[in-house]
Amino acid sequence: MFNNFFHRMASPKHFYGLAGILIPWLAVPCLLLTLAGLYYGLVKAPPDYQQGDSYRIMFIHVPAAWMSLFIYIVMAGAGAIGLIWRIKLAEVVAISSAPIGASFTFLALITGSIWGKPMWGTWWVWDARLTSELILLFLYLGVIALNNAIDDKRTAARAVAILALVGVINIPIIHYSVEWWNTLHQGPTVTKFDKPSIHLSMLIPLLLMAVAFKLYYAFVVLMRARCEVLERERNSGWVKELAEKT
Amino acid sequence: MNLEEFFNMGGYAFYVWSSYGIALLVLLVNIIAPLRQRNKLLNKIADTARRQARRNA
């Protein structure tokens, strides 16, 4: 029975319907948390004693950077599941994650650059953190390009999964880059073992935005996955029926 | 805090607001793109089905 349940859940038709129900339930809390995060981050939190108000870029920059790593791990994990167990839905999730991951990586880089100009006096330095994050962007773009280059969806998914898995080596490099190398980028203030060295008034909006971004990824990946399912299943009866109704 | 101070961001208005603006733009595009793609796909699939039905008739 258990097995049956999973098979039914993973059937494209069932997934399409379930995702459609889930999307608003994820999108509305995401919007509310974003508004709360913006309020606490832009209005309530005091200016930083060294950086003034410029540090408020952090509330976008840091959650976006976290998401860039998180989505990559999800993408590579889903890719591996698709590769090993040939589960179509895992392939769909992997490929649907790539453009969202690329977007967050782009955001982390561009907001870091905009933050770097007033604080470091430069838009860009080739330090370890920035360079490895730029490589992450290229990995995402590589995944998207490779998927587009191969016509057969299932062959493409296999190729993409292998590329994504090879690229996983970059993830610990990004995470530990600020500890392994002496860089211009500051070290971690939240994800370290002793107490976070950030005041609660700044930690609250940061975490609100982090959760909001997670929810954002969840509903946007479902939206993209639905499109991918439609395209893959375009010859099946239920998709034609759905198309004729619109 | 008054509104002018808020928008001024302690002199960092350009940096703070451009960051938030770009983020908003990128996040919105990622929502609009799959919505448009879904409509396009469904239209295309319906078109193909109609053409097939006509050929069979």
Side-chain angles (χ1 to χ4, degrees):
Chain A
M1 192 204 89
F2 203 60
N3 222 347
N4 201 354
F5 172 76
F6 274 106
H7 265 283
R8 212 156 45 88
M9 294 302 279
S11 94
K13 185 186 172 187
H14 194 88
F15 169 80
Y16 187 88
L18 186 70
I21 296 167
L22 277 173
I23 287 165
W25 288 97
L26 294 163
V28 172
C30 170
L31 182 67
L32 295 177
L33 284 174
T34 305
L35 291 175
L38 289 177
Y39 176 67
Y40 282 101
L42 291 172
V43 181
K44 291 296 262 190
D48 185 68
Y49 79 106
Q50 278 182 325
Q51 304 199 1
D53 282 308
S54 75
Y55 89 93
R56 295 182 201 277
I57 294 170
M58 173 181 77
F59 301 128
I60 300 286
H61 175 72
V62 171
W66 285 343
M67 288 312 292
S68 71
L69 301 183
F70 176 79
I71 295 174
Y72 196 91
I73 293 167
V74 172
M75 181 178 78
I81 291 169
L83 208 57
I84 297 164
W85 287 290
R86 298 285 149 87
I87 298 174
K88 284 188 197 169
L89 203 53
E91 299 175 359
V92 167
V93 168
I95 197 56
S96 302
S97 295
I100 313 168
S103 299
F104 277 117
T105 311
F106 170 75
L107 275 185
L109 284 166
I110 197 92
T111 57
S113 182
I114 293 170
W115 195 3
K117 185 61 188 166
M119 289 303 115
W120 297 345
T122 176
W123 298 103
W124 185 263
V125 282
W126 290 102
D127 98 330
R129 175 52 75 79
L130 279 69
T131 307
S132 53
E133 185 77 11
L134 184 65
I135 291 170
L136 185 70
L137 180 63
F138 292 155
L139 279 167
Y140 276 123
L141 296 179
V143 162
I144 295 166
L146 186 59
N147 182 60
N148 290 340
I150 304 171
D151 276 333
D152 180 60
K153 291 264 179 196
R154 303 220 67 183
T155 313
R158 232 170 300 155
V160 156
I162 291 165
L163 173 60
L165 282 168
V166 171
V168 167
I169 185 71
N170 193 33
I171 299 297
I173 294 176
I174 296 173
H175 184 76
Y176 291 111
S177 56
V178 285
E179 289 167 28
W180 291 345
W181 292 283
N182 197 3
T183 71
L184 198 52
H185 195 285
Q186 70 166 76
T189 46
V190 180
T191 56
K192 54 184 194 183
F193 283 116
D194 50 338
K195 230 172 59 185
S197 49
I198 174 172
H199 191 263
L200 201 63
S201 62
M202 299 175 181
L203 185 62
I204 286 171
L206 186 63
L207 295 180
L208 281 171
M209 292 304 279
V211 178
F213 277 15
K214 283 253 158 60
L215 288 170
Y216 174 88
Y217 166 60
F219 83 80
V220 174
V221 81
L222 287 180
M223 287 171 77
R224 281 197 182 274
R226 283 180 108 208
C227 292
E228 187 72 21
V229 165
L230 278 185
E231 207 171 354
R232 283 171 173 235
E233 303 289 318
R234 64 175 172 272
N235 289 323
S236 59
W238 69 274
V239 172
K240 283 183 187 162
E241 226 170 87
L242 192 77
E244 272 156 29
K245 264 187 279 177
T246 50
Chain B
M1 191 201 325
N2 65 38
L3 218 58
E4 197 181 324
E5 250 175 52
F6 175 71
F7 285 117
N8 191 38
M9 278 291 154
Y12 292 110
F14 168 75
Y15 302 104
V16 173
W17 295 122
S18 61
S19 291
Y20 278 80
I22 292 167
L24 182 72
L25 196 74
V26 169
L27 295 183
L28 282 181
V29 164
N30 269 287
I31 294 174
I32 295 163
L35 283 176
R36 290 186 49 172
Q37 203 202 342
R38 183 166 160 271
N39 282 337
K40 229 171 71 184
L41 271 171
L42 286 175
N43 282 337
K44 212 172 82 184
I45 293 164
D47 256 16
T48 316
R50 242 172 275 140
R51 221 172 305 140
Q52 246 166 15
R54 226 176 298 143
R55 208 177 309 143
N56 292 344

